[in-house]
Amino acid sequence: MDLSVLTPENFTFKTERLSIYPMQAQHLAQFKLLQCNPELMVFIGPILGDDEIKEKFNQRINCFEDHEQWFTLLINDKATNSFIGSIGFKLDDIDCKRVELCYLTLSNAQGKGNITEAGLGLIDLLKTQLKVKKIVANCAVENTASWKVMEKLGLTREGTLKADFVINDIWYDAYTYAIVY
């Protein structure tokens, strides 16, 4: 894996309908729109308090210095120049050249192919620039929209992880998906 390409410039890109760019210090409001939305977070994690959100945000915006953090990229609709969601990745295992993919989109932007479009662009960068061997993604079995996106991105379901994570005292099984290059 070529970590030298992990710069904000290399992970700023456009697709036909979208502008994708690294989250920076001025984007706390956009981060909160996603992270504080109970509907979006139902299969992701609990709604955090203000201090916890700021701490999580500060960790994420330092990803280019601290490679153990999630690399969070924001997504804007080019036609309206409006924020619609985020997509990102985490260096899951540098030696094995494996990254984990994640995404969230605002309710009004769901079902329109935005995450698939952004995901295909990000996957291309991860393959060609970062030189990953494997991309993985996980989601709750009940999160049908999320695993359908994974399939549209070319990932294959590798299995079901029983009682894989807990949110608000509810245990969830998870599907694990991957693609190997």
Side-chain angles (χ1 to χ4, degrees):
M1 207 178 314
D2 182 3
L3 300 181
S4 70
V5 302
L6 289 174
T7 67
E9 298 77 25
N10 286 339
F11 285 89
T12 300
F13 62 98
K14 293 182 184 210
T15 65
E16 182 180 334
R17 299 177 300 142
L18 307 170
S19 296
I20 298 106
Y21 51 93
M23 185 168 65
Q24 297 178 343
Q26 68 269 26
H27 299 126
L28 178 60
Q30 290 90 336
F31 188 68
K32 282 183 172 182
L33 276 176
L34 298 170
Q35 296 287 316
C36 294
N37 183 321
E39 180 184 328
L40 297 180
M41 295 300 290
V42 69
F43 298 120
I44 308 297
I47 302 297
L48 302 175
D50 203 44
D51 289 342
E52 294 167 305
I53 286 283
K54 287 178 186 172
E55 181 180 340
K56 187 175 182 179
F57 174 77
N58 287 329
Q59 290 170 346
R60 298 266 177 106
I61 62 172
N62 289 316
C63 61
F64 292 100
E65 291 79 37
D66 180 0
H67 294 164
E68 292 183 11
Q69 301 303 321
W70 282 96
F71 289 76
T72 303
L73 309 176
L74 302 184
I75 306 168
N76 275 21
D77 180 298
K78 288 193 322 193
T80 63
N81 196 31
S82 59
F83 169 73
I84 61 169
S86 69
I87 190 162
F89 63 96
K90 185 172 186 171
L91 303 176
D92 190 43
D93 188 318
I94 293 171
D95 294 334
C96 292
K97 300 181 179 184
R98 184 176 60 234
V99 300
E100 183 176 352
L101 194 65
C102 67
Y103 41 83
L104 273 173
T105 184
L106 296 173
S107 299
N108 64 349
Q110 293 176 2
K112 299 177 181 174
N114 292 312
I115 292 297
T116 301
E117 186 173 327
L120 290 171
L122 178 57
I123 286 171
D124 184 59
L125 286 175
L126 293 171
K127 285 188 323 189
T128 60
Q129 300 272 341
L130 195 55
K131 310 266 190 254
V132 301
K133 176 70 176 166
K134 186 174 186 176
I135 298 172
V136 299
N138 300 297
C139 69
V141 169
E142 296 88 349
N143 194 349
T144 306
S146 188
W147 58 258
K148 283 186 175 183
V149 167
M150 293 174 195
E151 291 175 353
K152 289 176 186 173
L153 293 174
L155 282 73
T156 303
R157 187 180 300 167
E158 291 193 335
T160 304
L161 306 171
K162 297 294 183 185
D164 187 50
F165 62 97
V166 63
I167 301 171
N168 299 323
D169 296 324
I170 300 172
W171 283 93
Y172 293 95
D173 294 348
Y175 286 143
T176 184
Y177 278 77
I179 190 167
V180 178
Y181 299 102

